Structures are given as C-alpha cells and as structure tokens.
Amino acid sequence: MTNVPSKVSIIVPVYNVENYLTKCLDSLVNQSLKDIEILVVNDGSKDNSEKIIEEFAQKYPEKIKAFTKENGGLSDARNFGINHAEGDYIGFVDSDDYVTETMFEEMFLLAEKHHAKMVICNIQKVDEKGSITQKLTQLPNMPEVIQLENNFSVFSDISYFACNKLFKKELFDPKKFKKGVHFEDIQLIPQLLLECDTVAQTQNFHYQYLERTDSITKTHTEKGLDILKAVADVEQAFAKSRYFHKKKELKNFQIFEGVYSFLAYLAFVKKKEMFYNMSDQLAVFMKERQIKIQDILKYSRFGKNYLLSLPLKKKIFYLLFFAGQKKLIRKLI
C-alpha cells in the first residue's frame, strides 16, 4: 500500500509540556481531515514529553512523525518542522493548546476553494477546565474571501499569531522564523501576508488557546525591544512588496504593532531603568517614522477608534504615557 501524500502538515514544537501534550495531540489525531501529517518536534524537553510523543507515534504511526533535537527555541523547532514537512499546506499548533475536530478540514477546503495562500480562523482563550475566558474574533465584518488589493486594511488589523492560520507551504520558501528572538510571529507572518493576493477566513473559533495557571509569570525584559526590530524587518519587506504604495496601512501597522503592542508589553516591565530605556527607544522609533501622538490617538482598528475600545486601566496607561507622564505611570504599575 502506497502512502497518500499529506495535504496538510501540522507542526507541534514541544518543550516541557507533559501536563498538556496529550490533550493537544488527541485533538490533532482526531481531525476530520484524514490526509494530514503531525510533525511533533521535541525541542530538548527534560520532562516526560518524549515518552508521551513515543506513545502517540506508536499508536498513530500513519499520522505522527516524531523528531527529537537539541533545544533551540520555538523558531528553531518550527523551522525544523517546516524543513521536514511534506504537505501542500502548513499549520502550527502550540503544544499546550488544542483545536476543534474540524479545524484543518475547514481551513484546507477554504484554501482550495479560494486559491488562498493563507487561511485564518478565530481563537478563544480557555482555562484549564476548558471554560472559555475570552473570544478573539480576528476579522469581524469581513467576507469569507478577501482580496488584499481592495481590502488592505487587513494588513494592519489582523493579529499576527502563527497558530490560527493555515499557510501554503511555498510561502516559507525562502522565508523562515527568525531564530533567537521574541515576537517571531510579528516578524514573519506579515511578510508572508505580503506574498498573498487573497486570504480566506472562517468565523469559527477553532483554535483553543490555553491560559495556564502553572506557568511561571513571564518576566518582561528588554526582549520587548524585539517588537520594534520585528516591525523594522517587516518595513523592509513591505518596501519590496507589490503593496509598497499602501502607505496608510503601513503606518497603521507601525502604530498597532510598534506602539500599542510595544506599550502593552512595556506596562509589565518592573525595573525602573529598563522601563525608561525602552520608553526612549520607542520615542526614537516614533520620531524616525514621523508618528505623531495625534496619529496614535486617531488610530482605528476594524473601523473603530482603538484607544476608546480599550479597558479603562489600559486607556489611562496609554494616555498618561502619550502625555509624557512616565513618572506618574511608574507609580501606577
């Protein structure tokens, strides 16, 4: 019996997730789309993750491809998976998350139906009991198929997660995730979008993003500056893309990812000196791009003023920051 080529390759980077991996892999081996391969990349785990992977590989040899490599970080594990993938399309699932049974079937069919190199689904955050804590609609009020030339607001409105998307494999030739950086999704996914004519979407909440209670509180450090570097990398790709003339959308991208996303990270930086240093870097970023406070305050996402849509605490933080009241902010956070 000859192996049928997989239509979809699902890449799962694994690092010390023994408590969550079974639920993740169960959701993948039970996909309604049968022509899939699941590439499980053990990135040097030191817990029982390897044992769980071996059990799944033995039970589902026609679906699971297990790999073990030295620890190299998320980008390195994903790139390893891309290099070994044989499917026409590639999806990514984080090993502590899980997905609905029909996720990859629906997204694959949408990709084929609309000749879309990228397909997007909605995300919902869940707690460890499986209760939904937040619904994240990705592209509200947009049709199933979106022609980018006529709807390029998508470029600045979209959330650049890798895990709620299906990609045509050719998009990763020659582009890959940047190693050794944080916010690798913001660095790469916009560049892949710039290679597309069309994207398709489903309004179904297929991707279940687990908010873990056992994860050590993330330390917020100068690694946050990688957000600004990611935006700079995207700007270079933008200048060479077919959409280079869409200056307004580029500016909106700079404001959303480079200012608002960066400030959302900065709000959790506890060390005073680091906070001021990173604030200064943001000021340089804005000056170089001629982003004025007025531009930020007027910025709209999905046709609504972004600042006004935020919770009160965030709104106050941003407004105080833009007013130059950094010392007052330090007392608040």
Side-chain angles (χ1 to χ4, degrees):
M1 182 180 156
T2 56
N3 285 338
V4 178
S6 302
K7 291 188 172 82
V8 173
S9 299
I10 305 165
I11 296 167
V12 186
V14 172
Y15 183 70
N16 294 349
V17 282
E18 60 182 5
N19 295 333
Y20 309 100
L21 187 55
T22 298
K23 188 162 191 173
C24 174
L25 295 180
D26 270 338
S27 76
L28 296 177
V29 295
N30 291 308
Q31 284 295 296
S32 57
L33 181 68
K34 299 307 172 196
D35 297 336
I36 60 169
E37 59 171 9
I38 303 155
L39 293 90
V40 189
V41 184
N42 181 7
D43 192 37
S45 294
K46 295 176 174 66
D47 64 357
N48 284 318
S49 295
E50 178 69 20
K51 190 181 169 200
I52 295 166
I53 295 166
E54 283 173 7
E55 286 169 3
F56 269 88
Q58 284 169 13
K59 193 173 178 183
Y60 303 98
E62 74 291 353
K63 286 186 178 174
I64 299 269
K65 289 186 178 179
F67 301 92
T68 300
K69 59 182 279 302
E70 282 184 18
N71 181 257
L74 179 62
S75 291
D76 196 49
R78 283 177 175 171
N79 290 342
F80 183 95
I82 293 165
N83 291 334
H84 288 82
E86 293 177 6
D88 301 317
Y89 296 90
I90 289 180
F92 301 95
V93 175
D94 286 344
S95 49
D96 46 1
D97 299 333
Y98 54 98
V99 301
T100 63
E101 195 177 314
T102 55
M103 173 169 166
F104 287 103
E105 181 177 24
E106 184 180 11
M107 293 174 83
F108 168 74
L109 292 173
L110 284 171
E112 292 282 286
K113 177 182 173 184
H114 298 299
H115 306 289
K117 291 181 185 175
M118 189 183 294
V119 183
I120 302 161
C121 74
N122 288 334
I123 298 173
Q124 54 195 16
K125 290 186 177 182
V126 293
D127 62 20
E128 298 202 9
K129 293 175 185 169
S131 301
I132 299 160
T133 58
Q134 190 182 4
K135 284 183 172 283
L136 302 173
T137 303
Q138 299 301 290
L139 289 168
N141 310 316
M142 294 290 274
E144 180 179 280
V145 58
I146 301 161
Q147 304 294 335
L148 286 177
E149 183 59 45
N150 304 323
N151 296 281
F152 201 64
S153 61
V154 167
F155 180 75
S156 53
D157 285 350
I158 198 174
S159 293
Y160 284 110
F161 306 110
C163 292
N164 68 323
K165 298 174 179 67
L166 187 68
F167 304 91
K168 191 86 176 171
K169 189 186 178 188
E170 66 196 45
L171 288 174
F172 296 97
D173 186 18
K175 293 181 176 5
K176 298 287 187 294
F177 289 95
K178 196 170 185 177
K179 292 183 201 174
V181 300
H182 285 43
F183 308 100
E184 56 281 299
D185 289 2
I186 297 173
Q187 195 271 344
L188 178 66
I189 311 302
Q191 296 191 49
L192 302 185
L193 185 66
L194 291 170
E195 298 294 323
C196 300
D197 298 307
T198 300
V199 295
Q201 69 150 344
T202 166
Q203 288 292 335
N204 286 323
F205 290 84
H206 284 306
Y207 195 86
Q208 315 299 302
Y209 175 90
L210 177 67
E211 292 194 288
R212 287 163 58 175
T213 51
D214 74 335
S215 59
I216 301 160
T217 306
K218 286 180 184 172
T219 49
H220 287 68
T221 67
E222 283 179 321
K223 276 287 181 187
L225 292 169
D226 284 353
I227 296 174
L228 303 184
K229 292 171 190 167
V231 172
D233 284 351
V234 173
E235 288 165 353
Q236 287 186 4
F238 194 94
K240 297 173 194 165
S241 78
R242 73 192 87 172
Y243 303 110
F244 70 94
H245 56 290
K246 306 266 191 187
K247 305 293 184 196
K248 181 189 169 192
E249 288 83 356
L250 176 61
K251 190 157 198 172
N252 281 341
F253 172 81
Q254 292 163 335
I255 290 170
F256 181 60
E257 296 293 359
V259 180
Y260 278 116
S261 294
F262 182 76
L263 282 175
Y265 183 95
L266 187 63
F268 292 95
V269 172
K270 300 297 179 200
K271 291 183 180 173
K272 195 173 180 179
E273 195 178 328
M274 193 182 289
F275 179 89
Y276 288 130
N277 174 45
M278 290 172 74
S279 300
D280 291 344
Q281 296 275 350
L282 177 60
V284 171
F285 174 90
M286 288 167 59
K287 190 177 179 183
E288 285 175 351
R289 288 153 185 82
Q290 298 180 320
I291 298 170
K292 299 180 176 69
I293 301 298
Q294 197 180 354
D295 300 327
I296 298 165
L297 298 178
K298 281 183 176 176
Y299 166 71
S300 285
R301 190 175 185 220
F302 307 129
K304 293 178 183 172
N305 182 281
Y306 183 67
L307 189 63
L308 295 178
S309 72
L310 295 172
L312 185 62
K313 198 175 175 184
K314 270 192 174 182
K315 214 178 288 182
I316 292 168
F317 172 76
Y318 290 141
L319 286 169
L320 285 174
F321 191 93
F322 299 143
Q325 303 295 320
K326 292 173 195 168
K327 286 183 180 170
L328 188 55
I329 290 170
R330 286 299 311 162
K331 290 177 185 173
L332 288 175
I333 64 175

